[in-house]
Amino acid sequence: MPQTHPVDQVPPVRQLAAFGMQHVLAMYAGAVAVPLIVGGAMKLPPADLAYLITADLLVCGIATLIQCVGVWRFGIRLPIVQGCTFAAVSPMVLIGTTGGGLPAIYGAVIVAGLAMMLLAPVFGRLLRFFPPVVTGTVILVIGLSLLPTAGTWAAGGAGAKDFGEPKNLALAAFVLLLVLGVQRFAPPALSRVAVLVGIVVGTAVAIPTGFTDFGAVGDANWVGISTPFHFGAPEFHGAAIVSMLIVALVTMTETTGDFIAVGEMTERPVDRRALADGLRADGFSTVLGGVFNTFPYTAFAQNVGLVGMTKVRSRWVVAVAGGILVVLGLLPKLGAVIAAIPSPVLGGAGLVMFGTVAASGLKTLAAVEFEGTSNLTVVAVSVALGVLPVGVPTLYEKFPDWFQTVMDSGISAGCITAIVLNLLFNHLPGKGGSTPAEPVAAGDAPVVPAQPAGSARA
């Protein structure tokens, strides 16, 4: 009788609940950040901001369920958590404040989602341009791009009055050490929920020391139902649609990198059909977002790091996380409880998770042949261009909006650079007509070969 792949295995109910909640806590801050930023820039009243957050959580959950469980040709059927993409923030703020408000945003989001669904098979055919030298570089850049976010959380969160105070960094360090201690010394069953333990204990320590309070929980409604087109019928403006289509291409590039990373970590390499199915689900979720008053969706990289760190590879664990998000979207009071978790607590846990993503990229690159090839140049320049906008956020602010949308994302900048340089150095005729160093993989072949059973995993 063939053995069930770890991705398809269903853990016991207790583990499902704990592992699923761990994924929710890992992504919650990122999930609510986009509606908060966009709504805040548009100066929406608190009631509308709360509505955007609950709508976002609801669609996050539905999108995650589709991606993990799969419906026909929608969903990659890997442990992937979906959330609003940060690549869309700047264009949406511009559209919302100068180009027609939320109805114009939602019209552009719906068109972008439909375009993503149509383009999914095209992106599926591009897998042959993602050999290990490219995938390893992209995964490394994803991890490095996320680390400043963990640092911001550890310091107190963006805009915090006490940003950088030693007490914030001390709390983040306490959570980091607790996560490492649980992972190293606790029994295997507990070590797999090390991040959950760190966040729960860190929050418990934070309450009496004045880091947070749960006052907002009492003000939150018990039930909140998102209805289609709550802010009015969508409007379709040409400039808004063009900017959101650019965001769609960037999002598909980033999501491809996340899919490949999870395929590597779970030892179920992504093939052409699976990639197309995953991107098609991304597009459908984005359309759903435009209808239910939220924004474009993508795979959340922080949860990629959690999969690599815990080695819990079951997609049903993340499907449970999707179910929890749906409940949080329908019960705002529960969402307010999780929203009270202090940023430094999330920062301490994030350092481990995001670092795990970067380490997974290094593991993939360890299998790449560097001697006698130009692969070192491919990796070096791609990582450099991927990290630049992270280290210098204002680097491209004098450039056109479309250029900023593409290059301000370190992930898309690094990915595009890696693909182009790999083609230039490894697939075009070399000096004197020499043969390429590394052949292009077949279109239907997996991107990264599966590791042998029992091999070390990040």
Side-chain angles (χ1 to χ4, degrees):
M1 185 174 178
Q3 188 177 4
T4 305
H5 193 282
V7 168
D8 299 318
Q9 290 175 359
V10 182
V13 174
R14 279 188 308 172
Q15 292 184 11
L16 275 173
F19 295 155
M21 180 55 73
Q22 189 169 234
H23 273 282
V24 171
L25 295 178
M27 60 81 68
Y28 190 90
V32 302
V34 173
L36 282 174
I37 294 170
V38 175
M42 295 177 64
K43 296 181 170 55
L44 296 180
D48 286 347
L49 277 177
Y51 193 96
L52 287 179
I53 290 171
T54 54
D56 175 35
L57 292 173
L58 176 65
V59 180
C60 273
I62 295 171
T64 299
L65 283 167
I66 294 171
Q67 201 67 271
C68 296
V69 177
V71 180
W72 188 52
R73 295 298 301 276
F74 292 82
I76 196 168
R77 295 167 174 82
L78 285 174
I80 294 287
V81 174
Q82 296 284 105
C84 282
T85 174
F86 283 86
V89 168
S90 295
M92 289 193 301
V93 168
L94 191 62
I95 296 166
T97 54
T98 64
L102 286 172
I105 291 176
Y106 295 139
V109 167
I110 290 171
V111 173
L114 292 172
M116 290 169 71
M117 292 170 66
L118 292 173
L119 289 173
V122 177
F123 259 73
R125 295 180 181 278
L126 297 180
L127 265 185
R128 59 201 182 100
F129 299 118
F130 284 85
V133 67
V134 173
T135 59
T137 301
V138 171
I139 296 169
L140 175 60
V141 170
I142 289 172
L144 295 177
S145 297
L146 288 169
L147 283 172
T149 300
T152 300
W153 289 345
K161 292 180 181 178
D162 60 350
F163 187 88
E165 289 284 345
K167 64 175 185 177
N168 292 335
L169 296 174
L171 178 58
F174 168 74
V175 173
L176 172 61
L177 292 173
L178 183 60
V179 170
L180 294 175
V182 171
Q183 193 174 17
R184 173 64 181 86
F185 298 108
L190 190 60
S191 69
R192 292 192 183 97
V193 290
V195 170
L196 178 62
V197 172
I199 291 175
V200 170
V201 174
T203 302
V205 170
I207 295 172
T209 52
F211 278 93
T212 187
D213 66 75
F214 291 86
V217 177
D219 299 330
N221 295 324
W222 275 106
V223 179
I225 305 295
S226 299
T227 55
F229 307 124
H230 174 79
F231 295 99
E235 298 176 5
F236 301 95
H237 299 179
I241 289 171
V242 169
S243 66
M244 207 55 66
L245 287 174
I246 295 172
V247 168
L249 293 174
V250 173
T251 300
M252 293 177 82
T253 304
E254 293 181 355
T255 301
T256 298
D258 290 331
F259 287 166
I260 291 170
V262 173
E264 162 86 355
M265 292 172 178
T266 59
E267 296 183 2
R268 177 175 276 181
V270 176
D271 59 22
R272 188 170 75 185
R273 173 169 174 158
L275 176 59
D277 290 350
L279 293 174
R280 194 177 290 110
D282 243 17
F284 177 77
S285 301
T286 297
V287 173
L288 209 60
V291 172
F292 282 94
N293 320 292
T294 180
F295 307 115
Y297 283 84
T298 186
F300 257 29
Q302 47 262 60
N303 295 87
V304 173
L306 189 56
V307 171
M309 177 190 153
T310 63
K311 300 180 176 64
V312 176
R313 295 178 279 176
S314 172
R315 60 190 172 107
W316 299 106
V317 164
V318 179
V320 168
I324 295 172
L325 287 168
V326 169
V327 172
L328 292 176
L330 297 174
L331 301 175
K333 196 172 286 289
L334 291 180
V337 172
I338 295 179
I341 296 172
S343 289
V345 171
L346 296 173
L351 286 170
V352 185
M353 294 186 297
F354 303 163
T356 300
V357 179
S360 297
L362 291 176
K363 186 189 77 170
T364 301
L365 289 173
V368 173
E369 180 60 53
F370 288 101
E371 195 68 34
T373 72
S374 298
N375 286 332
L376 191 64
T377 301
V378 174
V379 175
V381 177
S382 302
V383 171
L385 291 182
V387 172
L388 265 182
V390 178
V392 190
T394 58
L395 183 66
Y396 301 119
E397 66 178 7
K398 304 296 184 184
F399 285 75
D401 289 340
W402 67 267
F403 186 88
Q404 292 184 52
T405 300
V406 176
M407 298 302 291
D408 271 351
S409 165
I411 298 171
S412 63
C415 183
I416 292 169
T417 305
I419 292 171
V420 171
L421 291 182
N422 179 59
L423 289 173
L424 176 65
F425 284 103
N426 291 331
H427 300 301
L428 293 180
K431 298 173 184 177
S434 62
T435 57
E438 187 177 356
V440 177
D444 290 321
V447 184
V448 182
Q451 301 268 345
S455 63
R457 294 189 299 274

